[in-house]
PDB file of all heavy atoms in Angstrom:
ATOM      1  N   ARG A 130      93.366 101.387 127.692  1.00 77.00           N
ATOM      2  CA  ARG A 130      93.046 102.027 126.432  1.00 77.00           C
ATOM      3  C   ARG A 130      94.343 102.554 125.731  1.00 77.00           C
ATOM      4  O   ARG A 130      95.172 103.093 126.386  1.00 77.00           O
ATOM      5  CB  ARG A 130      92.193 103.322 126.693  1.00 77.00           C
ATOM      6  CG  ARG A 130      91.695 103.928 125.514  1.00 77.00           C
ATOM      7  CD  ARG A 130      90.755 105.019 125.794  1.00 77.00           C
ATOM      8  NE  ARG A 130      90.103 105.611 124.600  1.00 77.00           N
ATOM      9  CZ  ARG A 130      89.037 105.154 123.877  1.00 77.00           C
ATOM     10  NH1 ARG A 130      88.670 103.991 124.193  1.00 77.00           N
ATOM     11  NH2 ARG A 130      88.672 105.781 122.682  1.00 77.00           N
ATOM     12  N   ILE A 131      94.480 102.247 124.488  1.00 75.00           N
ATOM     13  CA  ILE A 131      95.714 102.759 123.740  1.00 75.00           C
ATOM     14  C   ILE A 131      95.212 103.441 122.454  1.00 75.00           C
ATOM     15  O   ILE A 131      94.016 103.250 122.043  1.00 75.00           O
ATOM     16  CB  ILE A 131      96.544 101.548 123.368  1.00 75.00           C
ATOM     17  CG1 ILE A 131      95.813 100.431 122.601  1.00 75.00           C
ATOM     18  CG2 ILE A 131      97.230 100.921 124.531  1.00 75.00           C
ATOM     19  CD1 ILE A 131      96.626  99.266 122.107  1.00 75.00           C
ATOM     20  N   GLU A 132      96.081 104.076 121.764  1.00 73.00           N
ATOM     21  CA  GLU A 132      95.739 104.847 120.637  1.00 73.00           C
ATOM     22  C   GLU A 132      96.627 104.450 119.520  1.00 73.00           C
ATOM     23  O   GLU A 132      97.942 104.224 119.748  1.00 73.00           O
ATOM     24  CB  GLU A 132      95.772 106.371 120.946  1.00 73.00           C
ATOM     25  CG  GLU A 132      94.770 106.853 121.836  1.00 73.00           C
ATOM     26  CD  GLU A 132      94.749 108.380 121.987  1.00 73.00           C
ATOM     27  OE1 GLU A 132      95.690 108.954 121.308  1.00 73.00           O
ATOM     28  OE2 GLU A 132      93.934 108.851 122.715  1.00 73.00           O
ATOM     29  N   TYR A 133      96.273 104.351 118.313  1.00 67.00           N
ATOM     30  CA  TYR A 133      97.097 104.325 117.096  1.00 67.00           C
ATOM     31  C   TYR A 133      96.444 105.134 116.026  1.00 67.00           C
ATOM     32  O   TYR A 133      95.325 105.450 116.024  1.00 67.00           O
ATOM     33  CB  TYR A 133      97.032 102.800 116.669  1.00 67.00           C
ATOM     34  CG  TYR A 133      95.842 102.229 116.202  1.00 67.00           C
ATOM     35  CD1 TYR A 133      95.438 102.275 114.804  1.00 67.00           C
ATOM     36  CD2 TYR A 133      94.910 101.682 117.110  1.00 67.00           C
ATOM     37  CE1 TYR A 133      94.168 101.762 114.448  1.00 67.00           C
ATOM     38  CE2 TYR A 133      93.639 101.263 116.673  1.00 67.00           C
ATOM     39  CZ  TYR A 133      93.347 101.294 115.464  1.00 67.00           C
ATOM     40  OH  TYR A 133      92.036 100.827 114.922  1.00 67.00           O
ATOM     41  N   ARG A 134      97.341 105.392 115.015  1.00 65.00           N
ATOM     42  CA  ARG A 134      96.928 106.184 113.965  1.00 65.00           C
ATOM     43  C   ARG A 134      96.947 105.462 112.617  1.00 65.00           C
ATOM     44  O   ARG A 134      97.950 104.851 112.329  1.00 65.00           O
ATOM     45  CB  ARG A 134      97.889 107.465 113.901  1.00 65.00           C
ATOM     46  CG  ARG A 134      97.487 108.404 112.684  1.00 65.00           C
ATOM     47  CD  ARG A 134      98.525 109.544 112.630  1.00 65.00           C
ATOM     48  NE  ARG A 134      98.134 110.492 111.518  1.00 65.00           N
ATOM     49  CZ  ARG A 134      97.098 111.354 111.544  1.00 65.00           C
ATOM     50  NH1 ARG A 134      96.447 111.540 112.687  1.00 65.00           N
ATOM     51  NH2 ARG A 134      97.016 112.221 110.531  1.00 65.00           N
ATOM     52  N   GLY A 135      95.819 105.447 111.956  1.00 57.00           N
ATOM     53  CA  GLY A 135      95.795 104.750 110.676  1.00 57.00           C
ATOM     54  C   GLY A 135      96.634 105.407 109.668  1.00 57.00           C
ATOM     55  O   GLY A 135      96.833 106.612 109.610  1.00 57.00           O
ATOM     56  N   PHE A 136      97.174 104.579 108.839  1.00 58.00           N
ATOM     57  CA  PHE A 136      98.123 105.036 107.791  1.00 58.00           C
ATOM     58  C   PHE A 136      97.343 105.865 106.761  1.00 58.00           C
ATOM     59  O   PHE A 136      96.236 105.507 106.211  1.00 58.00           O
ATOM     60  CB  PHE A 136      98.696 103.886 106.978  1.00 58.00           C
ATOM     61  CG  PHE A 136      99.511 104.230 105.861  1.00 58.00           C
ATOM     62  CD1 PHE A 136     100.629 105.162 105.988  1.00 58.00           C
ATOM     63  CD2 PHE A 136      99.407 103.578 104.567  1.00 58.00           C
ATOM     64  CE1 PHE A 136     101.307 105.472 104.878  1.00 58.00           C
ATOM     65  CE2 PHE A 136     100.191 103.856 103.504  1.00 58.00           C
ATOM     66  CZ  PHE A 136     101.243 104.855 103.616  1.00 58.00           C
ATOM     67  N   GLU A 137      97.694 107.164 106.545  1.00 59.00           N
ATOM     68  CA  GLU A 137      96.969 107.979 105.687  1.00 59.00           C
ATOM     69  C   GLU A 137      97.340 107.734 104.082  1.00 59.00           C
ATOM     70  O   GLU A 137      96.769 108.392 103.320  1.00 59.00           O
ATOM     71  CB  GLU A 137      97.394 109.460 106.021  1.00 59.00           C
ATOM     72  CG  GLU A 137      97.011 109.919 107.324  1.00 59.00           C
ATOM     73  CD  GLU A 137      95.513 110.048 107.501  1.00 59.00           C
ATOM     74  OE1 GLU A 137      94.832 110.121 106.421  1.00 59.00           O
ATOM     75  OE2 GLU A 137      95.038 110.086 108.607  1.00 59.00           O
ATOM     76  N   GLY A 138      98.243 106.854 103.989  1.00 60.00           N
ATOM     77  CA  GLY A 138      98.754 106.278 102.706  1.00 60.00           C
ATOM     78  C   GLY A 138      98.116 106.854 101.303  1.00 60.00           C
ATOM     79  O   GLY A 138      97.540 107.798 101.321  1.00 60.00           O
ATOM     80  N   ILE A 139      98.470 106.112 100.373  1.00 72.00           N
ATOM     81  CA  ILE A 139      98.145 106.588  99.010  1.00 72.00           C
ATOM     82  C   ILE A 139      97.174 105.642  98.285  1.00 72.00           C
ATOM     83  O   ILE A 139      97.252 105.371  97.179  1.00 72.00           O
ATOM     84  CB  ILE A 139      99.507 106.693  98.214  1.00 72.00           C
ATOM     85  CG1 ILE A 139     100.279 105.353  98.247  1.00 72.00           C
ATOM     86  CG2 ILE A 139     100.322 107.709  98.698  1.00 72.00           C
ATOM     87  CD1 ILE A 139     101.549 105.197  97.358  1.00 72.00           C
ATOM     88  N   TYR A 140      96.261 105.208  99.091  1.00 86.00           N
ATOM     89  CA  TYR A 140      95.235 104.209  98.562  1.00 86.00           C
ATOM     90  C   TYR A 140      93.992 104.954  98.057  1.00 86.00           C
ATOM     91  O   TYR A 140      93.495 105.862  98.774  1.00 86.00           O
ATOM     92  CB  TYR A 140      94.817 103.269  99.660  1.00 86.00           C
ATOM     93  CG  TYR A 140      96.052 102.428 100.388  1.00 86.00           C
ATOM     94  CD1 TYR A 140      95.861 101.969 101.590  1.00 86.00           C
ATOM     95  CD2 TYR A 140      97.116 102.278  99.566  1.00 86.00           C
ATOM     96  CE1 TYR A 140      96.957 101.263 102.213  1.00 86.00           C
ATOM     97  CE2 TYR A 140      98.293 101.619 100.204  1.00 86.00           C
ATOM     98  CZ  TYR A 140      98.139 101.154 101.443  1.00 86.00           C
ATOM     99  OH  TYR A 140      99.090 100.465 102.051  1.00 86.00           O
ATOM    100  N   ASN A 141      93.471 104.461  96.948  1.00 88.00           N
ATOM    101  CA  ASN A 141      92.258 104.976  96.396  1.00 88.00           C
ATOM    102  C   ASN A 141      91.082 104.018  96.708  1.00 88.00           C
ATOM    103  O   ASN A 141      91.348 102.878  96.838  1.00 88.00           O
ATOM    104  CB  ASN A 141      92.444 105.151  94.872  1.00 88.00           C
ATOM    105  CG  ASN A 141      93.363 106.252  94.437  1.00 88.00           C
ATOM    106  OD1 ASN A 141      93.434 107.284  95.125  1.00 88.00           O
ATOM    107  ND2 ASN A 141      94.143 106.045  93.490  1.00 88.00           N
TER     108      ASN A 141
END
Side-chain angles (χ1 to χ4, degrees):
R130 187 171 184 83
I131 57 177
E132 294 184 1
Y133 64 92
R134 181 178 178 82
F136 178 49
E137 296 294 340
I139 53 174
Y140 305 153
N141 295 319

